[in-house]
Amino acid sequence: MDPIGASCFNLQIEENARANLDENDRKNEQLAEIICSVRSLSKYEGRSFRTLCPQIAAAAIAASYHIVVGIALAYSAILIPSISNETSTDGEIYATKTESSWIASTIVIVTPIGGITGGFIMDSYGRLNTLKLAVIPSVIGWIVIAMAQNVPMLIIGRMLTGIATSWGSSPAIVYITEIARVDMRGSLISFGPAYASLGMVLAFLKGWFLHWRTVAWMSLGYSVIPLILISFIIPESPAWLVSKGRVEEASKSLKWIHRNQPQPEHRTESLAELQLQLLQKEHQLKLEEESKKGNGFWTKAKLFLRPTGYKPLIILFGLFVFQQFSGIYITLFYSVTFLKETGSTVNPYLASILIGTVRCIMSCVNTYMLRTFHRRPLIMLSGVGMACCMLLSGFFTMWINNGTSTQKWVPTCLLLLYVITSMIGLLPIPWTMTAELFPIEIRGIAHSIAYSIANIVMFVSIQTFYSLEDLVGGIVGVQWFFAVVALMGSLYTFIFLPETHGKKLSEITNYFVNSSAIYLLSRNKNKTSQNKKPASRVPNKNIVKSNKQSEKLINDI
């Protein structure tokens, strides 16, 4: 799981799905009624900072657990150097390379379990209650790590914190999506990845000066403080409350969220009351749609036997293999160890702090890039840039080890450039495509499957780092291996990956139905199918003219 990629860049799915208004005429007349409701609410919303304050506060508090998520992800980088046989500073625990790889990768392998169970809990008991429950495995996990007397205790602690990261991240993003004003949704969700990057920086900074047990004890505070803030300050998601028939509580929640909104002109109801009416309409529409469609397991399973199911799943699997084995997450989980082995004279903890800071900055920059540029060129440019950085870093590492170069700062600079180029495309975009490539009928299930596959591949890549190092002859060979894989990822993208930027859901679906799995051989046909419109299809005027806010709301439905 990548808190920056999975949390922040899944926002782009919404931006690409805005254009999907022609699907089934978007529920025809019932949606037209809701569109009108959205328009009327939109014009009543105040646009001042004061009116946004409750939503900003709610988003900042709900996403605050991401800090400890970032700490958990980066923790192996400061733990492993302290307990390895060669450089151990701990008098009790010593870990072999195999044990160290398990310590680093365990947090990833339990992420799909946490995601699936967290999804059920979130739908059954609420978004904020799931965030509160995340504190339990987090606190227990960090205590086990802090008091660990052997490697199995460290692994168990990492497993618990891994489950907690899933329970504490996804519900926060869903909650913010449901309470945020439409035009501010992307900005408010960015609290999540920003907090996660901050957590990584804090982990590296503390690891530089403090013992790893002290860092674990301090992480308890980052787990408990969000619980207190969530419990006493912000209300539950009104959309979830309405879905459970708790209308009175939903009304109170909306009044809190919109308490600074002005009274709508020429209306007797407040904005909160109008919003409640709209949520009730949406919920009724969902119930009607569910009653018409078959939602059984086998009905969904059969859809994966269609080209729109298995083709994107195979393409994504290949893309995640190249993403993970190009070293993106290996250099995060083993950052301190990796930097030491390159021969750089820059303090590895300081360099790790810089890497975390760069990831944070680039996550914000990339939000703009993904909205502006096409997916395929970004991934190909990213892969080529990563390959160049790792290739040069490998050469400089070899020259430093041979004593033919004294420029020991160069590998660290190249690693920073490698992180920047990875954030351009190969790191974030595959996570966004886990939902972009699938039709709406199986999008939720397919996203979960693709997400689980990605984490399994990540587990394998992190787990096999030391074996890879032995296989290719040391850290120089590892860097060249990363360079080759990144370059192959660009080539794979050029040949197989379809473009989704600015495409309607129907266009993506038609591509997989009518085209070859090889994108290069299907490009002309794909363009033709995109430009061809059925003559008998007459778009609903109300829908075509709807503004962006109503489009986004309908996509959420």
Side-chain angles (χ1 to χ4, degrees), residues 36 113 175 280 287 407 534:
C36 294
I113 300 173
Y175 174 81
Q280 289 176 305
L287 293 177
Q407 297 173 316

Side-chain angles (χ1 to χ4, degrees), residues 12-232:
Q12 309 309 318
I13 297 168
E14 295 184 14
E15 299 298 327
N16 285 284
R18 285 181 177 180
N20 300 333
L21 300 179
D22 59 336
E23 184 183 336
N24 297 325
D25 281 339
R26 303 310 292 160
K27 315 282 191 310
N28 300 320
E29 299 302 325
Q30 286 180 305
L31 287 192
E33 179 184 356
I34 292 184
I35 291 172
C36 294
S37 300
V38 175
R39 272 203 203 101
S40 62
L41 292 186
S42 174
K43 70 179 183 180
Y44 293 139
E45 289 179 340
R47 300 290 165 168
S48 66
F49 176 76
R50 182 174 179 273
T51 59
L52 276 175
C53 281
Q55 295 179 25
I56 295 173
I61 292 173
S64 59
Y65 190 83
H66 278 76
I67 295 177
V68 78
V69 170
I71 293 174
L73 290 174
Y75 187 73
S76 62
I78 66 173
L79 172 63
I80 290 173
S82 299
I83 61 174
S84 62
N85 286 329
E86 293 82 1
T87 60
S88 178
T89 59
D90 188 281
E92 303 171 0
I93 302 177
Y94 300 94
T96 64
K97 288 186 175 181
T98 301
E99 291 171 334
S100 295
S101 65
W102 277 103
I103 292 171
S105 60
T106 300
I107 193 174
V108 176
I109 197 61
V110 298
T111 297
I113 300 173
I116 294 171
T117 56
F120 283 110
I121 296 172
M122 181 169 52
D123 287 339
S124 300
Y125 298 103
R127 285 64 168 122
L128 297 187
N129 285 331
T130 307
L131 292 175
K132 295 173 187 177
L133 286 174
V135 177
I136 298 175
S138 180
V139 167
I140 296 175
W142 286 114
I143 290 175
V144 171
I145 291 173
M147 300 181 66
Q149 299 300 313
N150 49 53
V151 171
M153 288 185 70
L154 290 174
I155 293 175
I156 292 172
R158 293 280 287 168
M159 290 177 63
L160 290 170
T161 55
I163 293 174
T165 58
S166 296
W167 289 8
S169 56
S170 296
I173 301 304
V174 173
Y175 174 81
I176 296 171
T177 300
E178 293 175 341
I179 63 100
R181 199 175 74 193
V182 176
D183 60 318
M184 291 297 297
R185 189 171 294 160
S187 299
L188 293 182
I189 291 182
S190 65
F191 273 113
Y195 279 149
S197 296
L198 175 61
M200 294 179 191
V201 173
L202 288 173
F204 293 132
L205 183 62
K206 292 177 181 179
W208 188 1
F209 297 104
L210 303 174
H211 193 275
W212 59 267
R213 292 186 189 272
T214 304
V215 177
W217 284 118
M218 294 178 69
S219 299
L220 294 176
Y222 296 106
S223 302
V224 174
I225 291 175
L227 169 66
I228 297 172
L229 297 175
I230 291 169
S231 300
F232 294 101

